[in-house]
Amino acid sequence: MVMNPEDDSRTLNLTVSIRGLAESQYRTGGLAAPFYGGVEGLAGIRTHQRYFDALRVDQRVSELYTESSFSGMYRTEDTSLTVKGRADAWFLSQNGLTLVEVKSFRGAASRLPAKGEDVHWAQAKLYAYLLLLQTGAASLTIELTYVSTEVDDDIVILRETETLASLEAFFNRLCLSFIESTRSLRRYIAARNEANRAASFPYDGLRDGQKLLMRRVMDTMLAEGSLLASAPTGIGKTIATLYPALKAQANGIVDRIFYLTHTTATRIVAETALADLRAAGFLVRAVTLYAKESLCLEPDLYCDQRRCPYALDYYERLPEALSELYRLQVINPESLLPIAKKHRLCPFELSLDVSSWCDVIICDYNYVYDPRVRLQRFFADVGETYAILVDEAHNLPSRAREMYSARLELDQLTDVYTLLLNKELGPPTEGSDDLKAMVRRAAEETISLHNELAAVASSLSENEEGPKGFARIDASIQAHETVMTETFLAAKRLPAHLIGKLSRLYRTYALLLETFNEWDGKLPLLHLWFDLAFFIRVGQTLFDYTYLITLGKTRSGRWQLSLQCLDASDRMAKSVSSQMARVYFSATLTPM
């Protein structure tokens, strides 16, 4: 959500995505995705494209448009709300205009809600209204289409006919409700901007170089550009970046500030600087994000969102907890955990939800750059202008290479295989033979992958000529494309069938976890499932000339298969947008 107060008017400009607007009114239940949901991003994209291809040859369709951008506006006396998003598809036919909202699902179509999900219908209706405004049509058909990621022809289409008048009423109701829900935040932002424009630098004097650094930071905010600042330890780089960033925010130049840290020590320095700024008259609501594991109140369940009491019915209890957090200026584990426990809410998810209402977010590099944990709520659909302040930035290149690398350990496969062999299915019941077959198949696929990789490791240890183990994985890999020692093998080419084999194993585990969702001993399987997901994602979408596939021993002596990123610069550049002012500062940015 974007809030841009205009200096020459009492009108406040708000911007919200169509998805955000729909979810603000229709998001209910717990954190767990439904069994048919939880589709990985790449699988969802491929499913959408497959359905678009089917529409292109559909005899009903005379003109087809996919991934079209729409924007609309709703106004009250003091607020202008812009709603925007990108619709999946719409087409013209003999029967008129049709808006298509596509949702991917996995598993059996029988598990889909008979009438579709309310939040999906809300998104579709918002797109439909904006489409009618654009085309000038008086009515249309909405097709809410659920498409299987696993079976090509498994498609469920739900249809409704809507008029411009009915959709306009729906659009207006959601927009007005959204505006009303933001009034307390808007009052806070007005007070914050007034206070922070008037507040002075918190210390009596400036250290050598601080004034120049603050000027350069403000120039970067104004230009939404990028600054590399090399300055010695002791100059006061933290306050010299936060102070101008807060001034830029108070004057509507940036909407939100991210302060990225590498260590606990630098995080504390940032929190201390903000405390000094508050003492000098600044009004700053800041949240410090911690790793999920360090905040977890049910570690034995390891994010099993279908069972964790802090995840069930999460969205029903969220508003009251947020209302309490809005009264705070400092949101960290000390202030967050008591409220999370009181309302029985996942502390990590609560910290993310309250971050949308904070001025400054203090967090690790990975919350902005790491594709696994990047804050999609901010960066997936950029509408705000951000200030990204990166402390100790000399650490970022090596951290970035790790963020884009994926790993699997052979011992993980061994542990999961042992776990599956010992899986107790209980007394015979209807369908128990199918369950036994499912567990047996998962065990067989697990040990098959393990043995294939172990053969490579064995060939290295035995000093055989040439990478025979890898040749068994993919005969196209030649000796001149590899580096090999007794404990390490690296190749530039990804074995052709490896990702396919891993994908099959991932799907098998998904079905197993879905079937045995209350299995107490599944933590090793969950860990491996998550690692497989990222390994497949890297192999399918990122692996290129900047990567090596490696098999080698870790320092602890465990064999590890990895997709190792050697140069993440291009991906890092693409992860930031033109609406981000970036300041990278350190005492050791040399040579520049």
Side-chain angles (χ1 to χ4, degrees):
M1 176 177 59
V2 186
M3 296 192 173
N4 295 317
E6 296 179 347
D7 293 335
D8 58 351
S9 170
R10 296 181 61 84
T11 299
L12 184 71
N13 292 332
L14 307 181
T15 301
V16 65
S17 69
I18 284 178
R19 178 175 179 175
L21 181 58
E23 289 183 348
S24 71
Q25 303 297 312
Y26 288 93
R27 187 172 57 174
T28 60
L31 292 173
F35 283 129
Y36 53 84
V39 175
E40 291 294 317
L42 182 62
I45 292 171
R46 288 179 171 174
T47 302
H48 278 58
Q49 292 300 326
R50 194 178 76 232
Y51 188 66
F52 295 160
D53 290 340
L55 283 177
R56 290 185 179 96
V57 296
D58 191 321
Q59 294 184 353
R60 300 176 301 157
V61 178
S62 57
E63 294 182 39
L64 175 66
Y65 303 87
T66 61
E67 298 181 340
S68 302
S69 295
F70 291 102
S71 179
M73 189 167 290
Y74 178 83
R75 291 186 175 89
T76 64
E77 290 184 359
D78 61 353
T79 306
S80 176
L81 176 64
T82 300
V83 181
K84 60 183 182 180
R86 190 168 60 184
D88 290 327
W90 60 279
F91 63 83
L92 295 171
S93 68
Q94 291 182 345
N95 296 323
L97 191 62
T98 299
L99 184 283
V100 181
E101 178 69 8
V102 181
K103 299 296 179 184
S104 305
F105 74 92
R106 59 186 179 85
S110 59
R111 293 193 173 186
L112 294 170
K115 297 182 179 180
E117 287 195 38
D118 289 343
V119 68
H120 295 163
W121 276 116
Q123 287 178 249
K125 289 180 179 180
L126 292 171
Y127 283 123
Y129 172 63
L130 298 179
L131 176 60
L132 288 181
L133 288 183
Q134 178 175 298
T135 60
S139 64
L140 52 60
T141 298
I142 297 175
E143 290 187 355
L144 178 55
T145 305
Y146 292 93
V147 184
S148 172
T149 61
E150 299 158 351
V151 182
D152 287 354
D153 58 353
D154 203 355
I155 299 172
V156 176
I157 301 177
L158 306 174
R159 293 183 176 87
E160 284 188 7
T161 300
E162 297 283 352
T163 65
L164 177 62
S166 65
L167 291 174
E168 183 177 36
F170 180 82
F171 178 84
N172 291 345
R173 178 173 63 81
L174 262 62
C175 289
L176 181 60
S177 178
F178 180 83
I179 288 173
E180 291 298 325
S181 71
T182 65
R183 290 203 180 278
S184 63
L185 177 62
R186 293 156 58 193
R187 287 193 294 269
Y188 165 78
I189 288 178
R192 179 203 70 189
N193 290 348
E194 182 178 0
N196 292 358
R197 281 195 291 261
S200 301
F201 192 69
Y203 308 129
D204 292 336
L206 293 171
R207 298 176 185 176
D208 289 343
Q210 269 190 327
K211 187 173 184 179
L212 175 61
L213 178 55
M214 287 192 286
R215 283 180 175 174
R216 293 290 184 267
V217 171
M218 181 57 79
D219 289 344
T220 305
M221 301 293 113
L222 289 167
E224 296 178 8
S226 182
L227 172 68
L228 291 174
S230 181
T233 300
I235 193 178
K237 294 186 288 294
T238 299
I239 201 73
T241 54
L242 279 170
Y243 177 78
L246 288 169
K247 287 292 185 179
Q249 185 180 59
N251 287 279
I253 298 168
V254 298
D255 298 296
R256 202 180 312 275
I257 300 165
F258 288 84
Y259 191 97
L260 309 187
T261 70
H262 179 62
T263 63
T264 300
T266 51
R267 184 188 69 228
I268 292 173
V269 169
E271 292 172 337
T272 302
L274 288 176
D276 292 345
L277 287 160
R278 292 189 189 98
F282 280 83
L283 185 59
V284 185
R285 181 186 291 152
V287 60
T288 303
L289 300 182
Y290 280 68
K292 184 183 296 185
E293 292 80 2
S294 66
L295 295 176
C296 184
L297 298 174
E298 287 283 355
D300 291 340
L301 294 177
Y302 187 66
C303 284
D304 189 343
Q305 296 175 339
R306 303 188 195 285
R307 301 173 62 201
C308 178
Y310 296 94
L312 300 175
D313 300 322
Y314 176 89
Y315 293 108
E316 272 66 38
R317 299 190 296 273
L318 179 62
E320 291 186 12
L322 289 177
S323 180
E324 288 190 42
L325 288 170
Y326 295 159
R327 305 185 191 115
L328 305 178
Q329 290 289 292
V330 180
I331 302 171
N332 55 26
E334 288 71 29
S335 58
L336 179 81
L337 285 172
I339 294 175
K341 291 177 180 177
K342 174 184 175 182
H343 296 279
R344 297 188 68 75
L345 295 170
C346 170
F348 179 72
E349 291 295 333
L350 182 58
S351 69
L352 296 184
D353 282 321
V354 77
S355 69
S356 297
W357 301 70
C358 291
D359 311 311
V360 178
I361 299 173
I362 302 172
C363 58
D364 189 84
Y365 301 156
N366 57 8
Y367 288 104
V368 173
Y369 296 110
D370 192 326
R372 283 165 287 193
V373 296
R374 179 176 165 86
L375 296 174
Q376 295 298 327
R377 67 187 64 208
F378 295 114
F379 304 117
D381 187 17
V382 175
E384 295 188 341
T385 299
Y386 301 133
I388 310 292
L389 311 179
V390 184
D391 197 0
E392 300 291 338
H394 63 276
N395 293 300
L396 192 55
S398 60
R399 282 288 305 277
R401 290 192 291 271
E402 291 302 302
M403 291 174 192
Y404 285 93
S405 298
R407 294 175 176 81
L408 295 172
E409 291 192 352
L410 268 65
D411 284 358
Q412 287 179 280
L413 296 167
T414 305
D415 293 343
V416 169
Y417 177 66
T418 303
L419 185 71
L420 294 171
L421 287 183
N422 297 326
K423 173 63 182 144
E424 294 292 336
L425 296 178
T429 59
E430 183 179 352
S432 61
D433 288 341
D434 292 337
L435 297 180
K436 290 179 181 178
M438 183 190 309
V439 174
R440 185 170 59 250
R441 182 173 70 252
E444 290 172 351
E445 291 182 13
T446 302
I447 199 62
S448 173
L449 176 63
H450 174 275
N451 290 344
E452 196 161 358
L453 296 174
V456 183
S458 176
S459 71
L460 296 178
S461 301
E462 294 171 6
N463 281 320
E464 296 184 8
E465 293 183 5
K468 292 185 178 180
F470 254 128
R472 290 169 56 181
I473 294 178
D474 184 357
S476 66
I477 291 184
Q478 303 298 320
H480 70 273
E481 295 176 308
T482 67
V483 173
M484 185 179 70
T485 70
E486 292 182 11
T487 58
F488 181 76
L489 172 65
K492 292 183 178 181
R493 190 180 306 178
L494 191 62
H497 84 282
L498 178 63
I499 296 301
K501 189 162 190 171
L502 295 177
S503 298
R504 288 191 296 274
L505 185 60
Y506 176 82
R507 291 193 294 270
T508 299
Y509 286 169
L511 183 59
L512 197 64
L513 290 167
E514 179 180 322
T515 304
F516 297 109
N517 62 301
E518 295 191 7
W519 179 8
D520 288 330
K522 65 183 177 184
L523 279 184
L525 179 58
L526 268 176
H527 282 288
L528 180 54
W529 189 56
F530 291 142
D531 289 343
L532 277 171
F534 188 62
F535 200 99
I536 294 165
R537 179 180 173 187
V538 171
Q540 289 181 330
T541 65
L542 301 177
F543 193 93
D544 59 13
Y545 69 95
T546 65
Y547 275 85
L548 291 177
I549 179 170
T550 71
L551 181 68
K553 279 189 176 181
T554 64
R555 291 181 179 178
S556 61
R558 297 161 67 97
W559 283 98
Q560 184 183 78
L561 180 71
S562 73
L563 302 179
Q564 183 65 47
C565 179
L566 304 181
D567 178 5
S569 57
D570 184 56
R571 292 172 181 85
M572 294 290 283
K574 291 177 180 177
S575 69
V576 296
S577 77
S578 59
Q579 291 176 272
M580 297 182 190
R582 290 92 64 195
V583 178
Y584 305 93
F585 56 101
S586 172
T588 55
L589 284 182
T590 53
M592 186 62 75

